[in-house]
Amino acid sequence: MKHFTVLFFLFFSSLFPKSLSDSLAQYHPLEKGNQWIYRTIVSNYPQPPSISFFIKEVKGDTLLKGMLYKKIDRRDLTGKHIGFSFETFDTVTGNYIKYAQTPQVEDSTFTVSPNTVFGQFRNRKLVSVTTDSMFGVKRLTREVMINNVVSENDWGWRYMYGLGLVDEYIKPVGPGPLFSGSYTVLLYAKINGKEYGNNLMLITDSLSLY
């Protein structure tokens, strides 16, 4: 496994002329103006599923407990404000961090071995690093889950190189209803001025289907 880790870093760094940590930051692109649109489906069988959409946009910088974070606005498709999140990528440690009362490591991009745990209280684990397709392009993709052996649900996230968070899921562990939980998927992204996926007009029109 150590040989795999070394080879992975050598391969990855050979693809990108920048420093390794700067390259890995593209799993979490947090430049001002970057925007993402997501669809969330929440199911609780036998009730019918609920479907909602939301937009995330990087607004600027803010200082919290001596660390610089990006302030990210979250709103619905009508523009109604839902809330803010505060996120940063530490190029020294390779950690993607969210601030919610305290800093929380959401991803450790220097970690490449499956089932490696990391973060405060070792509460995250890497599931896999694979190559997946989105918007017609294959990209390296990291899947991370909460490392909680007593949880009734699996809660995970997938981060795609150059796009950021592409999906989030909460699903029951073991036997249970036919389906319960939630699934959030990326529909559109605007990263450094380049657009991917469906534009806002098409997504707004799709609301009439539900």
Side-chain angles (χ1 to χ4, degrees), residues 9-202:
F9 278 124
L10 289 174
F11 169 74
F12 197 97
S13 59
S14 70
L15 294 178
F16 304 99
K18 300 181 296 181
S19 70
L20 180 60
S21 60
D22 286 342
S23 295
L24 291 170
Q26 293 308 304
Y27 278 111
H28 308 283
L30 296 174
E31 292 79 11
K32 184 177 180 180
N34 286 357
Q35 185 181 103
W36 302 263
I37 301 178
Y38 296 92
R39 179 185 64 217
T40 298
I41 300 176
V42 178
S43 294
N44 187 15
Y45 184 83
Q47 302 299 320
S50 65
I51 301 175
S52 60
F53 299 80
F54 66 93
I55 302 170
K56 287 173 55 179
E57 183 175 357
V58 182
K59 290 295 189 179
D61 298 324
T62 189
L63 195 64
L64 295 171
K65 299 291 182 67
M67 181 176 286
L68 193 64
Y69 289 84
K70 297 295 183 180
K71 186 177 182 179
I72 300 178
D73 177 57
R74 180 168 171 160
R75 59 188 186 272
D76 65 20
L77 292 188
T78 69
K80 182 180 179 181
H81 176 69
I82 299 173
F84 289 110
S85 63
F86 302 95
E87 307 175 14
T88 191
F89 183 85
D90 187 340
T91 56
V92 175
T93 63
N95 289 339
Y96 164 56
I97 301 168
K98 282 187 178 181
Y99 187 91
Q101 298 184 329
T102 61
Q104 169 64 53
V105 176
E106 299 288 326
D107 185 19
S108 176
T109 60
F110 287 171
T111 301
V112 297
S113 300
N115 296 316
T116 301
V117 294
F118 55 85
Q120 290 88 338
F121 312 110
R122 298 166 66 84
N123 63 346
R124 295 287 190 275
K125 70 176 179 181
L126 178 68
V127 177
S128 64
V129 180
T130 58
T131 301
D132 292 323
S133 293
M134 177 162 276
F135 307 137
V137 178
K138 288 185 177 182
R139 299 171 182 268
L140 286 169
T141 305
R142 298 174 56 83
E143 183 176 356
V144 174
M145 285 180 56
I146 289 180
N147 183 45
N148 187 347
V149 295
V150 298
S151 174
E152 295 179 355
N153 298 298
D154 281 338
W155 191 347
W157 303 262
R158 292 198 316 137
Y159 304 103
M160 191 167 282
Y161 190 88
L163 289 177
L165 178 68
V166 294
D167 59 48
E168 176 180 355
Y169 58 85
I170 302 174
K171 57 185 180 181
V173 177
L178 293 179
F179 181 79
S180 62
S182 69
Y183 181 67
T184 297
V185 64
L186 179 67
L187 300 179
Y188 166 89
K190 184 178 182 180
I191 308 296
N192 298 323
K194 186 173 182 179
E195 296 182 284
Y196 305 88
N198 295 320
N199 63 34
L200 183 58
M201 184 66 71
L202 290 174

